[in-house]
Amino acid sequence: LVYYFWRFGLKIATFRTNGAVGVGEILEDRGVVVPFDLSAEDAARGVLSLIDRGALPDRKEPISLSDVTLLAPVPRPLRNIFCVGKNYMEHAHEFSKSGFDSSAAAGAVPKNPIIFSKVPETVVAHQDDVIIDSSASEAVDYEAELAVIIGKGGRAISPENAFDHVWGYTIVNDVTARDLQGKYSQWLIGKSQDTFCPMGPWAVTRDSLDIANTAIRCHVNKELRQESNTGLLIFDIPTIIATISAGVTLMPGDVIATGTPAGVGIGFEPPRYLKAGDEVSIEIEGIGTLSNTFRNINR
Ligand code: MG
């Protein structure tokens, strides 16, 4: 019964209002968030505080969504965010052809999942700015992705049991400096530039989505760039969880970004990198829309 509330199909947000951080249930039709009764210390951990408890805390008075600023559902992951590379067929081909794929020699479509990570300090919220620092990279690109939030840790998790370990889902933009991804055979630097992991707008518990058939779309300045379905993942969520946990113990609160479909900036000829003022909006059916504007910083 400890994990019972994961099945409720809830939308759960971390937010700030009047200088205080809260965690609450989003009721979109009423335009409110219903805060849970949590200490300030717990609330600062976002949905991790609920995962640790296993059950839902008492609720407080609803707050209008217009009176809150959303924070990332997991404002600071406990450790690096796990990510899967080249996990949609058409994207694997567009990336392999781009010249930035240091793994291309192994073939466009990987035989085994490509797992890399982003440092936790990259996480920013819905509507936060993402920084383009042209002295570090001149090839900043977007990647719309479904992310899994682990609820129950474990090692050697079988594909059959994998969903028992899933608490829920959110959206991430796996922002990437393509030039740095190509320059260094390890992707960590190109993936971990400051602000390169927008996450949100909130998280949903696992029964909110039909993971075999969930639409994912990405617009840049209202222009549709990516449109696919999570049913088209090359390596599905049970395979990803089994692969990572075979020898790496997964922990409650771990975040796994599952890969991006075709239509990223390097898929175009010539490439269409992000520039100051661009707004990237990622929509996943059953979750919502994550939007961020890209801004230059000058050094
Ligand atoms: Mg990615």
Side-chain angles (χ1 to χ4, degrees):
L1 268 158
V2 164
Y3 301 105
Y4 186 54
F5 88 92
W6 301 5
R7 309 191 66 86
F8 284 2
L10 306 173
K11 291 187 166 81
I12 295 181
T14 309
F15 60 91
R16 182 181 288 114
T17 186
N18 292 326
V21 175
V23 177
E25 181 184 356
I26 296 283
L27 301 177
E28 276 188 290
D29 50 344
R30 290 176 53 196
V32 299
V33 57
V34 185
F36 295 114
D37 192 4
L38 292 168
S39 69
E41 195 182 329
D42 276 348
R45 302 174 63 237
V47 302
L48 299 185
S49 63
L50 302 187
I51 292 172
D52 285 355
R53 286 164 174 254
L56 290 175
D58 291 339
R59 288 167 157 84
K60 302 196 289 185
E61 285 300 306
I63 303 171
S64 169
L65 281 173
S66 58
D67 292 335
V68 307
T69 301
L70 292 172
L71 305 179
V74 186
R76 180 58 55 89
L78 298 172
R79 55 178 178 172
N80 282 22
I81 298 148
F82 293 97
C83 304
V84 185
K86 300 205 294 187
N87 203 19
Y88 288 84
M89 201 66 78
E90 289 174 40
H91 172 69
H93 288 290
E94 77 177 349
F95 182 51
S96 189
K97 281 188 298 195
S98 73
F100 289 110
D101 181 6
S102 47
S103 71
V109 179
K111 280 200 210 50
N112 298 296
I114 296 172
I115 310 290
F116 61 94
S117 76
K118 296 168 91 81
V119 300
E121 293 79 7
T122 52
V123 172
V124 295
H126 172 62
Q127 296 194 329
D128 277 351
D129 289 347
V130 179
I131 294 167
I132 297 175
D133 179 352
S134 60
S135 65
S137 170
E138 295 189 317
V140 175
D141 205 352
Y142 52 89
E143 294 190 353
E145 306 199 10
L146 174 74
V148 176
I149 301 173
I150 294 294
K152 184 168 76 169
R155 188 175 193 274
I157 298 166
S158 69
E160 294 72 29
N161 293 330
F163 283 113
D164 293 343
H165 293 260
V166 172
W167 176 83
Y169 304 97
T170 188
I171 304 170
V172 303
N173 187 346
D174 177 20
V175 182
T176 305
R178 296 295 179 200
D179 41 4
L180 302 181
Q181 186 183 30
K183 180 175 177 182
Y184 304 106
S185 64
Q186 297 285 324
W187 295 357
L188 185 100
I189 292 176
K191 295 285 189 175
S192 293
Q193 301 281 297
D194 292 351
T195 71
F196 272 22
C197 193
M199 181 193 293
W202 40 67
V204 299
T205 55
R206 69 173 181 224
D207 280 16
S208 305
L209 300 188
D210 171 9
I211 217 66
N213 181 20
T214 290
I216 177 167
R217 287 180 207 92
C218 176
H219 289 81
V220 178
N221 304 328
K222 317 268 187 236
E223 178 189 339
L224 182 64
R225 296 282 186 91
Q226 298 181 276
E227 183 167 34
S228 191
N229 190 292
T230 58
L232 296 174
L233 287 170
I234 297 171
F235 300 105
D236 63 11
I237 288 167
T239 303
I240 294 165
I241 288 174
T243 299
I244 297 172
S245 74
V248 178
T249 300
L250 282 173
M251 304 200 300
D254 276 340
V255 179
I256 306 172
T258 57
T260 201
V264 298
I266 44 152
F268 293 88
E269 183 61 49
R272 299 175 74 178
Y273 298 123
L274 295 168
K275 54 189 191 313
D278 283 346
E279 184 188 47
V280 179
S281 295
I282 302 169
E283 180 193 353
I284 296 183
E285 186 184 11
I287 303 180
T289 301
L290 169 71
S291 295
N292 298 86
T293 301
F294 287 66
R295 307 272 184 211
N296 281 335
I297 59 163
N298 299 306
R299 293 198 293 198

